[in-house]
Amino acid sequence: MTVNEDSFTNWKNREEIAESMIPIIGKLHRERDVTVLLHSRSLVNKSVVSILKAHRFARQIAGEELSVTETLPFLQALAALDLGPSQIDIGMLAATYRSDDRGLSVAEFTAEAVAGATGENKIECREGRDVVLYGFGRIGRLVARLLIEKAGSGNGLRLRAIVVRGGGDQDIIKRASLLRRDSIHGQFQGTITVDEANNKIIANGNEIQMIYADDPTAVDYTAYGIKDAILIDNTGKWRDREGLSKHLRPGIAKVVLTAPGKGDVPNVVHGVNHDMIKPDETILSCASCTTNAIVPPLKAMADEYGVRRGHVETVHSFTNDQNLLDNYHKAERRGRSAPLNMVITETGAASAVAKALPDLDAKITGSSIRVPVPDVSIAILSLQLERETTREEVLDYLRNVSLTSPLKRQIDFISAPDAVSSDFIGSRHASIVDAGATKVDGDNAILYLWYDNEFGYSCQVIRVVQYVSGVEYPTYPAPVA
């Protein structure tokens, strides 16, 4: 047998093992609200090839590819336990088991590592939390996809309704079509049907009521059986407490804004300050996509090196706020054609840092250039540090932050020398450190941070909603602080 045939046989064997993992992962998710991860990457609803690629990612951590033959026993051990709702990382289980010298079996080690999610310690499955989307644009549709994807057993977040202004004939059919197919993010993963008679979209079995209203105060959510819901406003029309309070109608308990909040509205960046949300807070903001991209790495750098001052320049994809062709716009320059020009504009991300990182004394300034790409942006974060360091030290530190720290869901790391913006479409991280572009000279560091300003940001929104709704379940083994 040739070497090529040996490689192909090995590939087919790994495919077979990955196939056997899918029903176990699915059953844990549907029946017990357990999300199986592999080095922080979810394996739920993933294909055979996606599972094998996730195992290959382990090279970033251990220096070699993680084999499905090594992780399958941990997955089988989990299936045999009386687990409660949780997130369990079989990649980290395998890694920590390697370094354990007590001679425990995989089953014994797994039971000990996830003890907090079993028996008397486990969290009981809660009743699902209703979610309402107010607006159904770029962010609204991506948040809808994520909510449907994460429906699991039905005991987590449940998308119950979408509120939009009436759009005329076949409105619901057209909106369902926009959810089904997206020019940037591809096909919806599942099935979508429309119940025109009852104004409902049924996506992967989730019945979603379409509500038509021109004003928040015109909606009675209890008439649709909605109660204690979290409303996600992705219109950006109201950004202060007074305006957003209009949403606090019967049936709505909390309002989450997908734009920077004004006044005393808390601006939350998950992973950085989400644990500071007061339990009785009814209105909060997820800040902007750029704020979410720069604040986690800024916090990481401040924690390790200290930051005296900084400047962020964002090279941002164009958005629906701009014009396709030159036309009137209330903002300067944004009236010029978005797909034909680079457009200098402002960003509020730098000033928003103070809300998310109030203990950071450094002054952060910022500006932005809109460029003719439809998605994925890059933030160039230039920092003066409080101590000198080297490029190698900074890269090693940020790589470890992305792999094992509590910020690993926010910060990713890439060393590919030929990476370009389209490579990051669909990234679930708030930002991705580009190792090849990073520059360090003494106490000056320049970080290049890619981010999917649509999907990565939407993932951050969902994480905040999960946290405030009480369905952000603990992860085992626990991340290293």
Side-chain angles (χ1 to χ4, degrees):
M1 183 176 286
T2 67
V3 173
N4 286 340
E5 288 173 331
D6 284 341
S7 297
F8 186 59
T9 299
N10 177 266
W11 173 260
K12 288 192 295 183
N13 289 338
R14 288 188 291 147
E15 277 189 319
E16 184 178 3
I17 294 170
E19 284 174 355
S20 72
M21 299 173 82
I22 291 174
I24 303 174
I25 294 166
K27 189 173 183 179
L28 285 169
H29 188 55
R30 288 191 307 275
E31 297 183 1
R32 308 188 201 176
D33 265 357
V34 173
T35 299
V36 177
L37 311 173
L38 194 134
H39 292 307
S40 79
R41 285 157 165 76
S42 174
L43 298 183
V44 176
N45 293 327
K46 294 298 187 289
S47 67
V48 168
V49 172
S50 294
I51 290 173
L52 292 175
K53 287 181 69 175
H55 280 74
R56 187 165 175 78
F57 172 77
R59 293 179 305 161
Q60 301 285 340
I61 296 173
E64 60 183 0
E65 185 170 340
L66 183 63
S67 172
V68 286
T69 61
E70 188 174 356
T71 57
L72 178 60
F74 291 96
L75 193 57
Q76 292 169 329
L78 291 173
L81 295 173
D82 179 25
L83 289 168
S86 55
Q87 299 185 99
I88 300 178
D89 194 319
I90 58 173
M92 294 304 294
L93 279 175
T96 51
Y97 182 67
R98 284 178 184 173
S99 59
D100 189 90
D101 58 2
R102 293 175 294 165
L104 299 177
S105 68
V106 168
E108 291 169 335
F109 180 84
T110 302
E112 179 183 273
V114 302
T118 60
E120 295 180 355
N121 297 323
K122 72 179 183 181
I123 300 170
E124 294 300 327
C125 289
R126 303 181 178 93
E127 183 180 351
R129 186 69 179 267
D130 291 350
V131 178
V132 173
L133 292 180
Y134 198 94
F136 204 44
R138 297 298 302 157
I139 300 302
R141 292 194 294 274
L142 291 177
V143 168
R145 286 188 174 200
L146 287 164
L147 287 168
I148 295 163
E149 171 194 303
K150 295 179 180 295
S153 66
N155 295 321
L157 301 176
R158 302 183 303 190
L159 177 56
R160 295 292 309 281
I162 300 167
V163 184
V164 294
R165 291 176 295 188
D169 293 342
Q170 295 191 317
D171 180 275
I172 193 169
I173 292 175
K174 292 175 181 177
R175 293 185 189 276
S177 182
L178 286 169
L179 178 61
R180 186 181 291 114
R181 287 178 286 270
D182 190 280
S183 300
I184 295 170
H185 301 283
Q187 297 277 346
F188 173 80
Q189 296 300 303
T191 64
I192 294 175
T193 57
V194 176
D195 179 357
E196 282 192 87
N198 295 298
N199 283 334
K200 289 184 178 180
I201 295 174
I202 298 94
N204 291 357
N206 296 266
E207 291 193 5
I208 307 163
Q209 182 71 53
M210 190 68 72
I211 301 173
Y212 294 97
D214 293 328
D215 187 272
T217 59
V219 186
D220 179 5
Y221 294 99
T222 60
Y224 302 97
I226 296 169
K227 60 180 182 180
D228 195 34
I230 298 174
L231 183 145
I232 303 173
D233 183 328
N234 55 88
T235 67
K237 184 175 181 179
W238 303 278
R239 293 170 58 186
D240 59 11
R241 187 172 296 275
E242 181 181 1
L244 293 168
S245 293
K246 296 178 181 180
H247 291 302
L248 293 173
R249 308 280 296 154
I252 304 298
K254 293 181 184 291
V255 179
V256 175
L257 171 66
T258 64
K262 294 183 177 180
D264 67 342
V265 175
N267 280 256
V268 179
V269 174
H270 190 276
V272 174
N273 68 336
H274 67 276
D275 55 353
M276 302 299 290
I277 301 172
K278 297 177 182 177
D280 60 350
E281 180 59 75
T282 57
I283 294 173
L284 54 94
S285 157
C286 291
S288 70
C289 56
T290 302
T291 302
N292 277 265
I294 66 172
V295 165
L298 180 57
K299 172 178 168 48
M301 293 296 287
D303 287 348
E304 179 66 17
Y305 301 102
V307 174
R308 296 184 186 276
R309 65 179 62 86
H311 177 81
V312 60
E313 187 78 35
T314 68
V315 182
H316 199 291
S317 59
F318 63 75
T319 68
N320 273 331
D321 175 62
Q322 296 171 258
N323 293 331
L324 284 175
L325 295 172
D326 289 2
N327 207 344
Y328 172 79
H329 195 293
K330 63 181 180 181
E332 293 181 356
R333 305 187 200 242
R334 289 198 191 188
R336 303 299 297 277
S337 173
L340 297 177
N341 294 290
M342 293 190 291
V343 179
I344 297 173
T345 186
E346 71 284 342
T347 176
S351 58
V353 167
K355 281 192 171 185
L357 288 173
D359 294 334
L360 183 70
D361 293 330
K363 179 177 177 57
I364 307 295
T365 58
S367 53
S368 180
I369 303 172
R370 298 287 181 92
V371 294
V373 294
D375 187 31
V376 179
S377 305
I378 190 166
I380 305 168
L381 184 59
S382 180
L383 303 173
Q384 183 182 11
L385 308 177
E386 290 185 351
R387 69 175 175 89
E388 293 191 354
T389 181
T390 65
R391 182 174 182 272
E392 291 72 22
E393 182 187 345
V394 169
L395 289 178
D396 283 345
Y397 169 67
L398 291 175
R399 175 178 170 276
N400 288 328
V401 166
S402 75
L403 294 173
T404 60
S405 83
L407 287 171
K408 65 182 180 181
R409 285 200 290 172
Q410 282 71 42
I411 300 175
D412 204 358
F413 185 94
I414 188 167
S415 55
D418 56 352
V420 293
S421 62
S422 61
D423 296 332
F424 306 103
I425 292 174
S427 169
R428 294 177 182 242
H429 290 81
S431 64
I432 305 99
V433 176
D434 191 314
T438 300
K439 295 174 173 56
V440 179
D441 182 11
D443 62 354
N444 289 299
I446 302 175
L447 308 182
Y448 286 72
L449 308 167
W450 297 101
Y451 58 109
D452 184 330
N453 48 278
E454 293 185 337
F455 195 73
Y457 175 68
S458 296
C459 289
Q460 283 286 89
V461 172
I462 290 294
R463 290 168 189 140
V464 171
V465 174
Q466 286 178 317
Y467 180 80
V468 299
S469 66
V471 297
E472 185 180 51
Y473 300 128
T475 299
Y476 300 94
V480 178

